[in-house]
Amino acid sequence: MAASAADVRSILSLPEPSATPGPSQLKKQAAPSARKPEGISRELYSLIGPSAPSLAALTKPRLKQKPNLGGGAKIKWECRTFKNNARQDSLQLRHWVKATTEEETEYPFAKYNVQSNVFTYSQDEYTRFLEDKEWTKEETDYLFQLARDYDVRWYVMYDRYDFPGGVPRSIDDLKERYYSVCRKLVRNRPWAGDETSKAQLIQSYHFDKERELTRKKYIVSLENRTPEQIAEEEALFIEIKRLEQNERRFKREREELLRTIAGIESGLPDIVEDEGLMNLSIDTKKKNKRSSTIMDLDSPSTPAIPATPVVKRPQTAKNAAFDAANCIIRTDPPATVPVTKAAHQPAHLRSYKLPVPKAAVAPKITAALAELGISHTRLVMPTRDNIMALEALVEATTTLVETKRMVDKVEYDIRILKSRLGMRESQGAEGQPAATDAMDVDEGNDGGEVVGEDGRAQSVVSTRSRKPARRSMSISSVDTSGTATTRAGTKRQKRG
Amino acid sequence: MVQYGGDEVSALVVDIGSSSLRAGYAGDDTPKSIIPTTYGYHRAEGDEAMDVEGGDATQAPKRVKMYIGQNGPSMWRAGMETANPMVDGLIDDFAAIPPLIEHALVDVMRCTPSEHPILVTEPPWNTPANRERMAEIMFEEFQVPAFYIANTGVLNAFAAGKGTALVIDVGKSMASVTPVVDGFVLRKGLSYSPLPKLVQAHARHILVTPTPMRRGIELLPHQLIANKTPVDLNAPPRFTLREERLAGTTESWRQWAEAREVDEWIQSVAGVLEQGWNDQLAAQRPPKPYEFPTGYNTYFGGERLSVGEQFFYHPQALVASNPNLPKHLPALISDTLRSCDAELRQVLSSNVVVTGGGTLFAGFVDRLSAELTRSFPHAKIHAPGNPIERRYGGWLGGSILASLGTFHQLWISKEEWQEHGKAIVGQRCK
């Protein structure tokens, strides 16, 4: 029982559509879809309409092709006899082939009949080159025949080797004889190609019986290990790995230490990586070689103790002369950084290498330099010497600023301690309760200091204002050399 | 076609074993005809009519009538003897071979041997005289256009998809360990022994020897039993013999039938412990019930597990008392590997192929892998799970080999046979 559109309308009491009857509506929909270009989805086409860009029509989605299994047309097969060219006789076997294949095609599997090219030699050649007191010609012939029969598969040849009246021979005896004969034949026969290819061919027939025997002995000894020995070996291996890891960790820690301590104190940027520890894992032969090269290059005293940092001086006198003549200045790569790709420095302008002060003290340094009329962010002529000078300047300024800060701190501490001392003295003299008077004394002391000690102490209080700060700096710069120790001293005290 | 290297020339593959003869088309995965190698025959008495009936053929002068195939030895006939042409895996009685092959090819497969090249298999210890005789039978009696004889060791390796393998083949009468390298058997490394026979003898001994628990079991085949009534566990059986048949039952048929009963029992009940013999473990295993054709039924506990132990371990006393005791499998394997090059041992022990119907023995492969990994920690065993593939691995390898396009240059054609004679067999089939 099917309800028509009219029935539905009557049920829902909808007005009968007069202008567009059902069939024509369908037609209207069908008409544009017929023009719909291939490769556009129906929804997209209804949205963009016939004004579809031609590009969309071009990019027709390419789905994976259905495999052609030849299921379409009927294929006729025929049972035909065929001739196998790999056979010497005239045996004709039958197999099924497509009727479309040609009658007289060569058997496709005949080409896999590859013959091994084993040498042959004449009686004359044998008497001239191949005589051997261990081998008769008959036995050599037999060996070569076996090699031909079994395509030089040594294990099989050895298994089948049974020369009547011959002495028992090992597989290595057979190999040695075979390869020596081959080598002699190649060497003594006229050679069409060049010498290198001949040498290569001779090399390919190389056989070292002694080495082969020791190798086999080694394999046997490996096989004959008892389970305990294997377990011990494995334990030792793990132990070695662990030691190596430890060494590496020590090395890393020491490096860090060197970078922090040696880098600052000695001011030597080039610290050679210590190779002694690295080489522990590598075999001794290599290690010796490595250390000897270091001995040649460096001063003789350095490599013996791996803990001391080594300054690299790889330049010879000749190189130095050349460099000087051509104004070449060589910079060593920073050795503290591990030699990786990331550490590689590409070619660059020297202006990129302008020294940057530490972020904490940067504003103060900028101010101090500005006072001298120098901008450290830009150099008119950033030559190597200029940059080095600027670097020294910035460094000195940094030290200066830091020293000044230290001095201020120490002075502040002194002041406080003094005031406490004064407070205690006044307590002792007057015998009054301390609660309120201490404050007073403090205040008085403070005020006295400000008055008596000029702008130096003031700068501590009002460090924000630039002028006194600058002044104080210029004063303290007189005794920079002395401050370093005091600074370190106070710091330690504070921490302790 | 060329990509897969296959080119079928409708060759036939014939694989003759001690228990069954398998024949089929090269390229198939299962032999089309599997018939028992054992056949029944009547001794010549005067001149009986040589009518060919069913699958029977008459060839040998001594045997008047041969009963071959599924209805051959298993059917009781008055005065019928049974015989098996195989001795220790080798064909001993060539007179019976042509009828057997003809039955398999003509009567079962319904094909004409003279139209198909035939590939025959041989055990690795086959003698040159034997293979030449086989070629002679094929060319002279079956008039085949081409012939090849291939080694079962190699074929089993091929069936497992390997060119180099250590093939452990346990059949009905022989167990062998064959090293195969690059498709060639290393004859110096080959070792084999009639171990399955010892296992069967042991099982038989267990069954017929009376124990405190039970009397000796009568191994009567169902062909000799007229009727029986169900009895309780361990109760003496109640059955009536076919008295009229007893007189006509020959000794050889009786032996064959009893051996079959023992085999049935081995296949359904016997097993082996996976990790070596252990009285406690053996006692923990559940006993298995078994009912004999007489109706006698009982449970078999630890003794059923001692049967499989014969494959892997022989107690000192047994070895001392029996100097001709066949070597057990671990001894065969270590013999083989010891005679191989040190370099080969690794390769072989990691490519072990287990094949043959005897290896379907319950727990066999697990125990073998336990024994192997004890001495070769990297040993890897390939044992097909499909029983058809396991039992007929040699045939399957032959089927693969004879359907390869590159193999067709190796066939010994009739022309070559006529030209070179027997020498060509040894030359071609290396």
Side-chain angles (χ1 to χ4, degrees), chain B residues 53-70:
Chain B
E53 164 217 304
D56 308 344
T58 52
Q59 289 281 335
K62 209 175 98 191
R63 271 132 228 176
V64 176
K65 189 157 181 178
M66 290 176 78
Y67 305 96
I68 299 172
Q70 301 302 338

Side-chain angles (χ1 to χ4, degrees), chain B residues 26-82:
Chain B
D28 283 5
D29 57 359
T30 318
K32 282 256 185 293
S33 115
I34 302 166
I35 60 165
T37 314
T38 307
Y39 59 93
Y41 66 94
H42 276 120
R43 281 193 191 284
E45 281 181 58
D47 48 351
E48 267 184 33
M50 293 189 181
D51 58 323
V52 177
E53 164 217 304
D56 308 344
T58 52
Q59 289 281 335
K62 209 175 98 191
R63 271 132 228 176
V64 176
K65 189 157 181 178
M66 290 176 78
Y67 305 96
I68 299 172
Q70 301 302 338
N71 293 330
S74 55
M75 196 180 267
W76 185 90
R77 293 175 180 89
M80 183 180 77
E81 305 262 5
T82 61

Side-chain angles (χ1 to χ4, degrees), chain A residues 282-296:
Chain A
I282 311 167
D283 59 339
T284 47
K285 209 175 174 184
K286 209 172 174 186
K287 184 182 167 189
N288 289 339
K289 204 177 157 193
R290 202 74 171 279
S291 56
S292 71
T293 53
I294 291 173
M295 293 280 268
D296 294 337

Side-chain angles (χ1 to χ4, degrees), chain A residues 54-222:
Chain A
S54 58
L55 196 66
L58 283 173
T59 58
K60 183 185 171 188
R62 283 183 173 273
L63 299 174
K64 203 174 160 190
Q65 294 263 315
K66 264 191 181 175
N68 179 19
L69 297 171
K74 269 186 206 163
I75 292 168
K76 207 171 170 225
W77 290 76
E78 281 179 355
C79 191
R80 278 191 208 151
T81 58
F82 66 95
K83 174 96 183 68
N84 189 345
N85 288 331
R87 293 190 68 92
Q88 263 86 53
D89 65 341
S90 63
L91 177 70
Q92 300 254 317
L93 296 166
R94 298 169 70 80
H95 65 174
W96 288 91
V97 284
K98 281 181 186 168
T100 49
T101 52
E102 283 175 45
E103 282 291 337
E104 286 303 314
T105 47
E106 202 186 328
Y107 186 55
F109 293 102
K111 63 171 181 273
Y112 297 112
N113 184 25
V114 184
Q115 302 292 333
S116 56
N117 42 354
V118 173
F119 279 95
T120 49
Y121 47 83
S122 62
Q123 176 70 45
D124 177 49
E125 274 176 322
Y126 189 87
T127 46
R128 275 197 295 152
F129 319 117
L130 308 176
E131 292 280 7
D132 191 309
K133 60 180 187 299
E134 297 269 315
W135 290 74
T136 61
K137 178 162 191 303
E138 287 72 33
E139 194 166 0
T140 312
D141 290 346
Y142 176 73
L143 174 70
F144 273 71
Q145 187 53 46
L146 267 185
R148 262 186 292 280
D149 284 350
Y150 295 106
D151 299 331
V152 204
R153 289 185 176 92
W154 284 108
Y155 294 121
V156 184
M157 280 170 64
Y158 169 65
D159 185 64
R160 305 291 152 92
Y161 195 87
D162 182 24
F163 185 69
V167 289
R169 298 188 191 276
S170 74
I171 186 167
D172 298 304
D173 291 335
L174 302 184
K175 278 188 188 176
E176 193 186 27
R177 175 64 175 162
Y178 177 82
Y179 287 123
S180 74
V181 166
C182 289
R183 278 201 306 274
K184 280 172 191 158
L185 285 176
V186 173
R187 215 170 277 148
N188 291 308
R189 274 180 183 172
W191 183 255
D194 55 346
E195 280 304 306
T196 51
S197 64
K198 182 174 177 176
Q200 264 176 5
L201 191 66
I202 291 175
Q203 186 59 36
S204 73
Y205 287 121
H206 177 77
F207 181 77
D208 187 348
K209 190 180 161 192
E210 290 307 312
R211 209 182 137 173
E212 196 74 358
L213 285 177
T214 43
R215 190 176 68 86
K216 285 193 174 165
K217 251 184 222 157
Y218 181 65
I219 292 175
V220 171
S221 72
L222 271 183

